[in-house]
Amino acid sequence: NREILEFQMRQPLIHGLIAVTVVAYAAGPVRSDEETTSHKLGQFVTLTNPISESQVARVGNLAVELQAQAAREDKQAVMVIEVPAGTSTFGQVSDLAKRLTSPELSRVRLVAWVPRSIDGNHTILALLCHDIVMPDDAVLGDIGRGKSVPPEDQNFVLSLVDGRRNTRVSTGIAEAMMNPGAELLRVQTVAAGGARQTRFLTAKQVR
């Protein structure tokens, strides 16, 4: 059974929803320094605007090197990517996204660090990561900047999110960020055992 708790969460509220979701992650359990250093390998990368072919190659190669080191040492690696506001084209962003979501990077966990509010195509770089960390006053804005994203580009973004790399971001949230007219609903599902789960779906997905 589905109980719709809130209707018509339109575009402006989506940004706040994302902010609340990822900040909750940032405030989660903190591991000790000893535990972190003994089990993790890390790399911090700051992206620039616009994203160039050389930057795609550099960041992609760093991820591959981190994967190789993690495999040698039999550890899990973390790459923290600082995502700035920017005006990169969809092609530039998708090229980097393809490198970073390669199955060959199975030991590299991606964490997006978003120090300030972003919108447009750079939002996609945050959505592809396993986790997103932002300060309280930062939000993820609409990808199309007031316009609907072309269907082919939407399919690419939805395929990234549908992989459930980040379980806090649903395809409904991503779709609403690409379509200004989309309605986002908070839906509560009740499992057979009585357990409740809250999901964010578009009106089309609820039907």
Side-chain angles (χ1 to χ4, degrees), residues 27-98:
V30 178
R31 295 181 174 85
S32 66
D33 291 340
E34 180 180 354
E35 180 183 357
T36 301
T37 55
S38 61
H39 296 286
K40 301 286 187 181
L41 299 171
Q43 175 75 52
F44 189 93
V45 176
T46 300
L47 300 179
T48 58
N49 176 57
I51 294 170
S52 62
E53 289 185 11
S54 61
Q55 186 170 197
V56 170
R58 181 180 67 84
V59 175
N61 290 339
L62 284 173
V64 170
E65 292 171 5
L66 194 58
Q67 166 73 20
Q69 183 180 359
R72 288 195 302 269
E73 300 182 21
D74 194 22
K75 293 182 178 180
Q76 185 71 21
V78 175
M79 173 176 276
V80 179
I81 304 172
E82 181 176 344
V83 184
T87 57
S88 301
T89 66
F90 182 85
Q92 292 167 322
V93 168
S94 62
D95 285 346
L96 181 56
K98 291 172 184 176

Side-chain angles (χ1 to χ4, degrees), residues 130-205:
H130 297 88
D131 301 295
I132 307 172
V133 180
M134 307 188 305
D136 292 341
D137 58 348
V139 295
L140 297 182
D142 75 282
I143 296 173
R145 289 178 169 161
K147 300 179 180 179
S148 293
V149 174
E152 183 177 350
D153 297 348
Q154 286 195 39
N155 290 337
F156 176 80
V157 175
L158 292 175
S159 69
L160 293 177
V161 175
D162 197 38
R164 305 298 287 168
R165 294 164 66 86
N166 187 339
T167 57
R168 300 168 182 84
V169 178
S170 67
T171 55
I173 291 175
E175 186 172 342
M177 296 176 82
M178 295 186 288
N179 291 292
E183 294 178 80
L184 187 65
L185 309 178
R186 182 186 287 116
V187 177
Q188 189 171 83
T189 59
V190 181
R196 293 175 177 266
Q197 180 183 21
T198 299
R199 302 173 64 193
F200 293 92
L201 307 172
T202 62
K204 183 176 64 176
Q205 289 174 320

